[in-house]
Amino acid sequence: MSSRFPVPEVPSASGPAHRFSRRRLLRHGMAAAGALLAAGPLSGCAAPASASDASALSVWDLFQGGDGMLMDDMIKAVSGGSRGFEIDRTILDWGPSYYTKLAMSAAGGRASDVAVAHLSRLAGYAPGGLLDPFDLDVLAEFGVTRRDFTPAVWARTQHDDATYAVPLDVHPFIVFYDKEAAGRAGLLDSSQELAPMGSPEALLEAGKALAEANGEAGILFGHVTDTAQTWRLFAALYAQTGAAFTLPDGGRAEIDVDAAVRVVSFMQQLFDGRSNPNNLDYNGAIANFVSGRGGMLMVGEWELPTLKKSGIPLGAAPFPQVFDEPAVYTDSHAFVLPHQESPDPARRREAHRYVAEMLKQSLTWASAGHIPAYQPVLAEPEYAALDPQSSYADAGRVAVLDPPNWFTGAGSNFQNRMCQPLQSALLGNTSAEKAVRQMVSEANTLLRQPNPVA
Amino acid sequence: MTTTAPLGAEAQTGPDASPTDGGRRAGRRIRMNSGTGLVFVLPFLLVFGLFLVWPVVQGLWMSFTDSSLSLRETSFVGFDNYAEALGDPDVWSSLGNTVFFTAISSVPLVLIALAMALLVHSGLAGQWAWRLAFFAPYLLPVTVVTLIWTWLYQPDLGLANQFLDTFGVGPVGWLSDEAVAMWSIAGLTVWWTVGFNFLLYLAALQSLPSTYDEAAALDGAGAWRRLWSITLPQLGRTTALVAMLQILASLKVFDQIYILTKGGPNGSTRPILEYVYDVGFTGYRLGYASAISYLFFAVVIVVSLVQLRLFRQED
C-alpha cells in the first residue's frame, strides 16, 4: 500500500484512472490511509513537486469527449515542473444536473477549489452566495488582468462590483459549410471564404443554391427534442434586429413582439422542409452534414473536432448577419470559485494561480474550436494558423448571451421552455405569432416565481 | 406480527401449529425469535429509516417552507406552496400527461404480457428462446433503451420512418408531433418492461393445478373454452397483482421521457415527476417541488386504495 503513496511518475491529472472516479476514489482513499499509517518514515520519499493527494487542488468541470481530453492535456501541462500543481479532477455530465450538483456542493460549503461554469449561469449563482469572488490583485500577481479580456465578455463576470468568474473561452453558435458546395453555389468571396449575406433574402437564396449545388439539402439545423438549439438560433437572429430581450426581476418580460415574430417567420421560411429540412434532430443534422447530405450546418463551434474528422472540405464562419446589426449567440466557459465555508487562504491563492496558468494554455483549448477568451493568445501567430478557428475569432466581439436572470443560461429551464414553442413553429404545428405569444407567457411565468437564490 | 416470525425449524410450531399445542409456550418462543430477528433486520431498518422515512418526513416539512438550493435563510410559508401548486397550470397539465401515459401503457402491458405467457405456456417449441426473447429487453438499462429508440424514432434516418417510407407513408414525427410523442414513449415502455409482467404471468400459469383443465378436456371443452372458463379465472389474483404493480410503475414514469424528449414537444410528454425535477433541481425551488410531490403522493395513495377495494370485491 505504501508504494502507492508518492506517485511522482504518474501525474495525477492524466491517465486512464481519471475516467473511473470510483477507482480514483479508492486510490485516494488508500493514499490517505497510507499517509496516516506511514507518515513519518515515508515523507522523505515524496518528490518535491508532488504534494500529497490530500492537498491536491480539486477541480470540477463538465468537459467530456474531445474537450475532456484537451482539458486533461492542459492540466498535464500545468502539472509539470517545479511549481506544478497536483490536480484532482472530477468530470460531471453537462446539463441541468451539473448545475444542481454545483449549487448543492456550494450550499454545503465544501465545494471544489475551482469549477467550470457557463457565464450565462452566473446570475443564478453569484447573487445567492453560491460563488466566492476572485481577488483581482492576486490574479494580477500571476499575470492575468481584466485588460486580457474583451469588455463584452468581462462585463458578464461582474456582480456587485466584484469578479465572480474568469472566462476561459467564448463559444459561439456559428455556421460550418462544405467549401466545394458553397463554391458551386457561388457563395464564396475572392479569398474562398463565405461571403457576407446582408439580408434575410440572401440567406434564403443561399439555402436554395446550396441545396441545388449539393443535390440534397442546403442548410442543416438539428433541433427536434433539443432543449437549446432553436433558442440559440432565435437569440442570434433576434439580437440582429437590434431589439432588446430583457427579463427584469419582479417585472414582466420586455420583448419586441414584432421583431420576434419577424425572426420566427424567417426561421420558418428558412427551414421550409424542402431546400432545408425542418425536422432534424441534433445528431441527425450532424450525421447528414458529415455524410455530405447538406451544404451548411448551423451549430456550435464545439462540433469542430467531429466535423474535421469527416474529411469534407470544411469552412467555418461567424453566424451570418441578415438583419440590421451584427450579433452572434454565444456562451462562455469560465472558471469560478464555488463557495466554501472556511477557505484556506493558501489554497485560495493556489486556485488563483491555477486559473491564471490554465488561461495561458488556451492555445490547446482553441484546437477544439473554442475562441480563447484570454486575448494575448489570439495575438499569437500559432492561433492565426489554426484553420478554420481563426475565421470566426471575431464572433466574440459581437457576442450575445442569454438575458441575465436566475433562471436563464446554459442547460436551464428557460432555454428548454423557449425551445418548445419554437420547435412547434419550425415543424409547422403552430404559427409564428402563437409561438412568440407562448414564449412571452413562458418567460412571464418564470419571472413570477420568487427568486430562490436572491 | 407473529405470522412473520417463523424462521427455519421454528416454522413447524409457528402459526400452522394447532391451538392445543401449548399455545403459550409457542408464543413465548416466537416473541424471543422476533427479538433475535430484530437484530437481523436492524441494518435494513436503519437504512430504510435513514434514506426513506427520514427524507419523507423532511420533504413534508420542506413543502411548508420556501427552501431553496441557495444559502438564503429558509422561512415557513404555511400552505402557500400548496395553494400555488393547485393554481399552477403546469402541475395540472403534467399530472394529466402522467395519467394519460398510465392509461395507454398499463393496458397493453398487462394484456400483451398475458398473451405472451399463454403462448409460451401452451408448449411452443424452443421455450427457453421465447422466454429469453420476451424477457431480455427488461434487463437493459434505461439509457441503452432510449439510445436504441432515439435512433429508431429519428425523424430523417430512423428505421421507423424508413420502414414507413417503403409503403409510401410520409415521415411521422415520432417524438416531435404533440399528438404522437406520448404514444411513441408508451410503445418503447411496453417493449422494454413487458417482460417482467410476462414472467409473473408465466410463474402463475405454471403453478396452476392441471386437474381442472384435464377434467374439462375430458368433458369435451375446447381450448378456447378452457382458456376463458378455467385458466383466466384462475389467473384473477395474478392479474390484480400485475395491474396494481403496473399502474404504480407507470405513474412513476420519468427517466425514459426525461432522456428522450425532456418533456417536449411543447410539454406534451412532461410527466409530473419531471415537473417536480424541473422546479426543484433545475429551478432550485425545493419547497415548492416538495409540495407538488406531496400532492402527487396523495393521488397515488387514492389510486392504490381504489384499486385495493376493487380487487378485494373481486375476491
Side-chain angles (χ1 to χ4, degrees), chain A residues 96-343:
Chain A
S97 61
Y98 178 78
Y99 285 101
T100 308
K101 286 173 191 145
L102 189 62
M104 286 175 114
S105 76
R110 283 174 307 184
S112 62
D113 294 304
V114 180
V116 168
H118 287 88
L119 263 194
S120 61
R121 293 297 296 240
L122 217 60
Y125 280 78
L130 295 174
L131 299 179
D132 292 336
F134 277 92
D135 187 331
L136 289 186
D137 295 335
V138 178
L139 267 185
E141 272 180 55
F142 299 118
V144 172
T145 68
R146 77 179 66 189
R147 282 183 300 280
D148 295 325
F149 303 89
T150 61
V153 171
W154 189 256
R156 291 294 294 255
T157 67
Q158 304 293 306
H159 170 70
D160 274 355
D161 296 326
T163 303
Y164 279 88
V166 177
L168 169 65
D169 68 28
V170 173
H171 52 270
F173 188 75
I174 63 168
V175 294
F176 288 101
Y177 56 93
D178 180 334
K179 278 195 165 169
E180 280 171 14
R184 283 198 297 277
L187 299 175
L188 300 184
D189 62 13
S190 53
S191 57
Q192 299 301 299
E193 298 282 334
L194 193 69
M197 298 284 173
S199 72
E201 292 74 28
L203 189 56
L204 293 175
E205 284 307 316
K208 284 188 192 126
L210 277 169
E212 215 164 287
N214 183 263
E216 297 217 27
I219 301 173
L220 302 174
F221 174 61
H223 69 97
V224 173
T225 69
D226 195 277
T227 53
Q229 284 281 93
T230 38
W231 167 249
R232 291 175 184 139
L233 180 62
F234 171 84
L237 291 167
Y238 180 81
Q240 288 189 358
T241 66
F245 194 120
T246 3
L247 301 170
D249 240 343
R252 292 178 71 78
E254 290 161 15
I255 301 163
D256 183 337
V257 172
D258 291 339
V261 170
R262 192 147 64 99
V263 167
V264 178
S265 308
F266 171 64
M267 285 163 66
Q268 286 176 315
Q269 274 178 291
L270 187 60
F271 298 103
D272 57 356
R274 288 187 297 277
S275 301
N276 312 317
N278 64 341
N279 64 349
L280 296 179
D281 67 3
Y282 191 93
N283 292 319
I286 289 177
N288 273 344
F289 186 72
V290 297
S291 59
R293 294 170 65 190
M296 187 185 274
L297 177 67
M298 292 182 167
V299 76
E301 48 67 20
W302 53 86
E303 292 297 345
L304 178 68
T306 313
L307 303 182
K308 253 189 164 168
K309 263 183 266 167
S310 69
I312 51 172
L314 191 66
F319 196 82
Q321 182 192 342
V322 298
F323 291 112
D324 308 330
E325 289 179 21
V328 174
Y329 180 76
T330 313
D331 209 327
S332 169
H333 294 124
F335 290 110
V336 294
L337 304 172
H339 174 69
Q340 292 187 344
E341 209 61 71
S342 44

Side-chain angles (χ1 to χ4, degrees), chain A residues 28-29 31 33 60 78 87 152 156 163 168 245 250 327 368 371:
Chain A
H28 286 191
W60 274 24
V78 300
I87 298 298
R156 291 294 294 255
T163 303
L168 169 65
F245 194 120
I371 305 173

Side-chain angles (χ1 to χ4, degrees), chain B residues 66-90:
Chain B
D66 63 353
S67 167
S68 88
L69 263 184
S70 75
L71 299 168
R72 192 192 54 179
E73 288 285 304
T74 299
S75 52
F76 187 78
V77 296
F79 283 94
D80 281 7
N81 286 329
Y82 287 92
E84 185 183 345
L86 290 176
D88 183 345
D90 287 334

Side-chain angles (χ1 to χ4, degrees), chain A residues 96-97 100 103-104 106-107 121 124-125 128-130 224-225 227 279-281 283-284 287-288 293 339 406 411 413 416-417 420-421 423-424 427 429 438 449-454, chain B residues 68-72 84 88 90 150-151 154-157 161 171 175-178 258 260-267 270 274-275 277-286 288:
Chain A
S97 61
T100 308
M104 286 175 114
R121 293 297 296 240
Y125 280 78
L130 295 174
V224 173
T225 69
T227 53
N279 64 349
L280 296 179
D281 67 3
N283 292 319
N288 273 344
R293 294 170 65 190
H339 174 69
W406 68 267
N413 239 339
N416 187 4
R417 281 176 176 241
Q420 301 293 346
Q423 173 182 309
S424 285
L427 290 167
N429 296 334
Q438 192 184 334
Q449 295 188 12
N451 183 342
V453 288
Chain B
S68 88
L69 263 184
S70 75
L71 299 168
R72 192 192 54 179
E84 185 183 345
D88 183 345
D90 287 334
T150 310
W151 281 105
Q154 219 274 336
D156 193 46
L157 311 159
N161 275 346
L175 298 174
S176 58
D177 189 334
E178 288 173 39
Y258 186 72
L260 217 54
T261 64
K262 297 274 192 302
N266 239 341
R270 180 172 59 190
E274 190 193 324
Y275 189 56
Y277 176 86
D278 283 348
V279 168
F281 288 103
T282 320
Y284 313 141
R285 297 186 62 201
L286 298 178
Y288 184 45

Side-chain angles (χ1 to χ4, degrees), chain B residues 35-55:
Chain B
T36 327
L38 202 64
V39 178
F40 282 104
V41 294
L42 203 63
F44 166 78
L45 280 181
L46 275 178
V47 173
F48 178 74
L50 199 64
F51 293 109
L52 204 88
V53 178
W54 175 241

